Amino acid sequence: MNLDKPLLMLVTSASEMGENQPTGLWLEEFAVPYLLFKENKIPVVVASPKGGKIPVDPNSAPDDSKKEAWAEAVDVLQNTRELETVWEDHFAGVFVPGGHGAMFDMPDNPLVAAVMERTWAQGGLLGAVCHGPAALVGLRDEQGAPLVQNKTVACFTNSEEREVGLDEVMPFLLASRLEDLGAQLDLADDFAAHAVTDGKLVTGQNPQSSHVVAEAVINQLYSE
């Protein structure tokens, strides 16, 4: 891998869903991969649609045992780059952590699509976990077809969404939308760790998949 090209970690800026319900980034899905990437000497740029401090879903606040371990990752989220300032840069890949916020500011964002389509066209990797694959929804390949068409992917399942009681709050059900776009879903039991690699596309199912999907991204980057 050419370590001169960093991995872009693209995180949500959305802080609300539904009737003023707080949402944002699911912290584990950022902290665990971020720390693994750094441990494996992968340069990382952290950006978001609005830049600055990232809203973290209050339900994902770390317990005492993780606060210290995740401190560096939390610190990075206090001042992210604005996507508009970095989208034209060259990246080894783009990785999108989830949190329900990603459902609101990733699918229809032209800069999200631009940086991910550009990275893909240049042979880079695309990775996402849980609701992060919402960023894949608007992507098109160089022929204009949905980028996920005929690709095998994992994401937060419809039954997981119902289990957490947010299926009626989401703008769409992510698994159903990806399937409608022609993706082949590869889903494990609800809330089981599960990651899928289909060439340069690496996806994970839920927060529990944060570690395995990060490992899969690292394996792909180092296999180049």
Side-chain angles (χ1 to χ4, degrees), residues 17 31 61 88 95 99 115 146 150 152 184:
M17 58 182 172
E88 290 184 290
F95 181 79
V115 71
N150 300 318
T152 304
Q184 306 294 315

Side-chain angles (χ1 to χ4, degrees), residues 136-137 139 146-153 178 181-184 201:
L136 302 172
V137 163
L139 305 191
L147 192 141
V148 297
Q149 191 175 80
N150 300 318
K151 302 280 194 310
T152 304
V153 300
L178 290 169
L181 290 167
Q184 306 294 315
L201 184 62

Side-chain angles (χ1 to χ4, degrees), residues 77-160:
L77 295 172
Q78 306 311 301
N79 188 22
T80 62
R81 303 284 298 276
E82 187 177 355
L83 182 56
E84 190 171 7
T85 68
V86 301
W87 76 272
E88 290 184 290
D89 295 350
H90 295 279
F91 296 105
V94 181
F95 181 79
V96 187
H100 284 90
M103 294 288 288
F104 294 89
D105 66 351
M106 294 291 176
D108 300 312
N109 188 315
L111 286 183
V112 169
V115 71
M116 295 183 79
E117 289 172 353
R118 189 165 182 262
T119 300
W120 181 262
Q122 292 172 346
L125 170 148
L126 298 181
V129 61
C130 196
H131 290 92
L136 302 172
V137 163
L139 305 191
R140 296 291 180 267
D141 65 18
E142 287 156 299
Q143 284 71 49
L147 192 141
V148 297
Q149 191 175 80
N150 300 318
K151 302 280 194 310
T152 304
V153 300
C155 68
F156 206 59
T157 69
N158 292 348
S159 53
E160 285 171 329

Side-chain angles (χ1 to χ4, degrees), residues 24-53:
L25 172 71
W26 196 265
L27 185 56
E28 179 179 8
E29 296 169 26
F30 174 79
V32 170
Y34 175 82
L35 294 168
L36 264 178
F37 296 151
K38 299 292 279 188
E39 187 181 314
N40 283 273
K41 307 290 190 286
I42 293 168
V44 172
V45 171
V46 183
S48 59
K50 293 181 180 176
K53 186 176 180 178

